[in-house]
Structures are given as structure tokens and as C-alpha cells.
Amino acid sequence: MRRTRIAAALAVVLCAALLAGCAEDPDEAAGRTVLTVGVFGAFGFQEAGLYDAYTREHPDVVIRQTSIERNANYYPQLLTHLGSGSGLADIQAVEVDNIAEITTTQGDRLEDLGTAPGVDRGAFLPWKWAQGTAPDGRTLGLGTDIGPQAVCYRKDHFARAGLPTERTAVGRLWAGDWQRFLETGRRFRESAPPGVAFVDSASGVMNAITGGSTIRFYDERGEVVYDTSPAVREAWDIAAASATEGLTARLQQFTPAWDQAFANGAFATVSCPAWMLGYIRDKAGPAARGRWDVAQAPRPGNWGGSFLVVPSAGRHPAEAARLAAWLTAPAQQVTLFRRRGNFPSASAAYPLPAVARARLPYFGDAPIGAIFSRAARGVPVTVLGPKDGLIAQNLADVGMLQVDQRGKSPKAAWDAAVRTIDNALDR
């Protein structure tokens, strides 16, 4: 504290001496409250006009956003700033793979938003609310969007393979069981169009299955259990079978080759959270309009989503909590969905017409509001851990990708992934 006061006094002296670079913020000088928001990527609030809408309602508030393109760069900086108590925005975004680490290790540096003005716990999906809640019961993160999963599929490829093409009938092919999804892939392979695989990647299948599990990488006590988890083993075995039996296009997701495969129609299905619809439309292009459709996944699951937290070291924590509550309220989540496609984590938004009646002409006029609302309500409360992202990445890249692309045996790939993960976790 003494060092802080000395530094502040020195700054004042230097400003006076230099007569430049330390002018008071003109908005603050005019009596307005400046709230800063730190996000990663094109988060959507600014693009959807939500900041402008809030400041119209609160003319005494100014909102300034800073964005770092990739969460891989954003998140380490956030941890550093939380540790030092400086350099923080009034509101910070947190990606779902990082929320458990934030709530378990940084809780004493964050405001409890569960009782903030304007927050309605009952408006949120229970599993999303649970993800943002710390072990001591305080809710530190308010949910923004989520990634409820479906399966996107090419109707033309299914027709040529002799499979149903209507979305309800397609969903019945694998309803309730990812093993039935694998069996559908075997049927597809028998009469598949030349050069077309059933699914894009084995890692994508594995990720989709674990996304619908209650216990995957950690248990309720916070112990690492990925290597003994039945859900992870089921996901691994089904994904490995899809690779070894030649059902995949042997692609790594979010690479140029994967993007090009959408345009080429190189695979018939992809595990498809709500946010991927726009990605498919962009990469597959106008030529594939009406060829893609959306069916329910074998079991509900979630892939993706984010939260807002309010650091206690911010300049305006009370005002920031009110803004965070407003940004995540159902009405604003509907606006974000309508303008940006971010699917709401506030289940109170689902009956509203903009969600309930939402359809996408590109995907055969699929009723995406109904499909993803149903999926979202069925997602279990998954136990999250501080290193979920690290475990998932290594299971995919060190493990399953080697089975899919290099022909490594599932056992050898599993052992390699376990060694890498355990070394990283210092187990």
C-alpha cells in the first residue's frame, strides 16, 4: 500500500512537470462513469449495438471495449492482471474452458454477481448458472452464449447413400446413443458417394460425446479422472472406431483443409453447436445452400460459450455489475442471437418469438430455435475443472488426431495423450 501511494504521488509530480500525457479523461471530467470491457475475438456486444443501447438508457455512462483476437493470448493476460490487481477492465469475458479455473482460484478477486441488481437466476439454464458458481456458492460469472449441439448433415449425400433426408427421420437414426451414430456411418459407407466420408473428423466426434457428459475430466471433488472416466472412454472408443473403419475425412478442425472440405462437400456430417451454423454457411458457400440441414444430436451436449466476471480491483465494480446483468439479461441475449447468432444461455429467452420461431433458409429452413432450445434444456450439469482445455486439446491433438491421420493404434495414441497430459498436470 505504501508503494502504491508513493507511485501515485510520483505520477502526479511527473504530470505537473511534463504538462502532458496525464490529462483527466474528458468523459470523467464531464461527470460520466467510464466502464471498460475486456473481451476476446468478435465477442458480439459491440457489433450488435448493445453498448449503444445501454448508454442511451444511461447517458451518464460511457462504455469502452478492448479486444484481443485469440483467447489463447487473452486468458494468460487476464490471469496475470487478476494476480497483480492491476490492468483489469471493469468487466472481463471468460471462455467456458477457463471458467472453472477462474471460479476456483480467483474467486477472492471477483465480485459476487448472484445478487447484483437486475440478475434473475431463474432466467438462466441451471447448468450454465452452475458453471459460473464457485465452490463457496458465490456466482462469479454470468453466462452469455452457449453452444448446444446438433448434427449438421448434407441431404444430397444422405440421399445418394440411401439414407433418410428429412431432419426428424435423420435424428431418429441415432437418437439416444452415439453408438447408433457410428452404425449410421457404417450404413452410409456402404453406398457413399465417391470421395465423401461420413464425418469430418474423429476428434470432432469425441468432443461432441464428452460435451454431453456429467463426469468427464474431473469429478465432484475436483480430482482429475479423465483417464478412468467411462464417458471419456466411450467417446474415445467410438471416435477411434470411426477413424480406424474409414468413416472420417481425416481432417483437423479449424484448419484450411477443413474449411476447403466444406466447400468441396467432402463429408456428410459434422457435430454442430449453434455457433457453427454461420461457419458452415461461410465455408460451404452459396453453392451448398439448401443441401445442408440440421438434426438433433444423439444426446444433448454443449460445446462453447462464455461468461462475464467483474474484478473487485476494477474502478467501478458496482456499476460494472449492473452492466453485466443487463448485457446477459434475456432481452439482450435475444438481440445478440438475432443479430449475431449467439445462442442464449438464458432459457427465459427461448419462448420469445425471435428464438422460438427462428429458421435458417440456408439449412433448408431448419427451425434452429426449436432444435437448439431443446438441446440446451437437455444438457447435463457437467463438472468442469481448471485444466479442461488442456486435457481436451491433448486428447484430440496428441491422441485422436494421430489415430485419424497417421494410423496410430488407438491404444498407442491413448497412452501418448495420457503421458502428455499427466506431465503437464504434474501427476
Side-chain angles (χ1 to χ4, degrees):
M1 182 65 71
R2 182 171 178 270
R3 290 179 181 174
T4 301
R5 289 171 178 166
I6 292 172
L10 180 58
V12 171
V13 171
L14 289 174
C15 285
L18 296 174
L19 297 176
C22 299
E24 185 176 5
D25 186 297
D27 287 308
E28 292 182 343
R32 290 184 284 270
T33 300
V34 177
L35 296 177
T36 54
V37 182
V39 302
F40 50 89
F43 208 76
F45 292 150
Q46 184 167 282
E47 295 84 349
L50 292 182
Y51 297 152
D52 291 340
Y54 188 82
T55 54
R56 282 195 297 270
E57 293 181 14
H58 303 83
D60 58 331
V61 173
V62 175
I63 302 173
R64 295 177 185 160
Q65 176 182 286
T66 59
S67 178
I68 295 176
E69 182 62 28
R70 298 179 66 247
N71 184 56
N73 298 325
Y74 167 89
Y75 183 62
Q77 292 187 31
L78 174 59
L79 287 179
T80 298
H81 293 318
L82 283 169
S84 66
S86 63
L88 290 157
D90 293 299
I91 295 175
Q92 298 277 176
V94 179
E95 203 268 343
V96 64
D97 279 347
N98 306 126
I99 192 64
E101 183 171 25
I102 288 291
T103 58
T104 56
T105 68
Q106 305 295 323
D108 59 344
R109 298 178 174 93
L110 300 172
E111 295 293 295
D112 183 358
L113 300 178
T115 57
V119 172
D120 178 7
R121 175 176 180 168
F124 288 86
L125 290 160
W127 59 266
K128 184 70 172 184
W129 185 271
Q131 288 178 341
T133 300
D136 63 6
R138 294 183 307 133
T139 298
L140 307 177
L142 295 178
T144 58
D145 61 320
I146 54 174
Q149 294 195 96
V151 173
C152 292
Y153 67 99
R154 285 278 299 246
K155 290 183 288 190
D156 52 340
H157 293 339
F158 269 48
R160 292 185 65 184
L163 294 176
T165 60
E166 192 276 325
R167 65 182 68 93
T168 303
V170 169
R172 283 198 295 265
L173 291 172
W174 49 63
D177 191 347
W178 279 98
Q179 185 67 39
R180 293 180 65 187
F181 181 80
L182 179 63
E183 292 166 2
T184 302
R186 292 167 179 154
R187 288 179 57 188
F188 178 88
R189 182 185 57 193
E190 292 174 1
S191 303
V196 177
F198 176 64
V199 68
D200 64 321
S201 76
S203 295
V205 173
M206 181 174 64
N207 181 67
I209 299 173
T210 58
S213 308
T214 300
I215 304 294
R216 50 177 189 171
F217 305 146
Y218 289 78
D219 65 15
E220 297 94 333
R221 298 170 298 174
E223 299 294 326
V224 177
V225 296
Y226 79 93
D227 50 347
T228 59
S229 166
V232 173
R233 176 51 68 176
E234 177 197 25
W236 180 273
D237 289 345
I238 292 175
S242 71
T244 58
E245 295 181 29
L247 304 182
T248 81
R250 299 183 178 182
L251 295 164
Q252 184 176 18
Q253 294 184 329
F254 305 104
T255 63
W258 190 60
D259 293 349
Q260 187 60 46
F262 277 110
N264 295 340
F267 51 85
T269 68
V270 60
S271 298
C272 187
W275 50 262
M276 194 173 299
L277 298 176
Y279 194 96
I280 293 173
R281 183 174 53 196
D282 290 345
K283 302 305 179 183
R289 180 185 176 92
R291 296 181 180 180
W292 282 97
D293 210 322
V294 187
Q296 294 286 349
R299 294 197 300 265
N302 184 72
W303 175 10
S306 298
F307 298 81
L308 299 182
V309 300
V310 174
S312 299
R315 296 185 63 195
H316 307 289
E319 293 87 347
R322 283 192 286 271
L323 173 58
W326 186 88
L327 288 170
T328 57
Q332 280 63 254
Q333 292 205 25
V334 167
T335 298
L336 202 58
F337 171 68
R338 185 164 48 84
R339 296 181 181 175
R340 299 287 299 176
N342 299 28
F343 203 79
S345 64
S347 54
Y350 299 165
L352 301 178
V355 178
R357 300 175 188 171
R359 291 179 174 270
L360 271 188
Y362 186 93
F363 290 84
D365 211 30
I368 59 167
I371 289 172
F372 289 111
S373 295
R374 179 182 174 187
R377 288 192 174 102
V379 175
V381 178
T382 301
V383 176
L384 301 182
K387 299 300 179 185
D388 271 6
L390 180 149
I391 295 171
Q393 180 179 351
N394 283 287
L395 284 175
D397 295 348
V398 177
M400 192 55 63
L401 187 63
Q402 310 310 311
V403 180
D404 209 11
Q405 292 191 347
R406 299 186 181 179
K408 203 168 190 176
S409 76
K411 183 181 185 307
W414 173 265
D415 291 343
V418 168
R419 284 194 301 271
T420 303
I421 293 167
D422 286 354
N423 286 337
L425 298 178
D426 196 24
R427 289 179 77 193

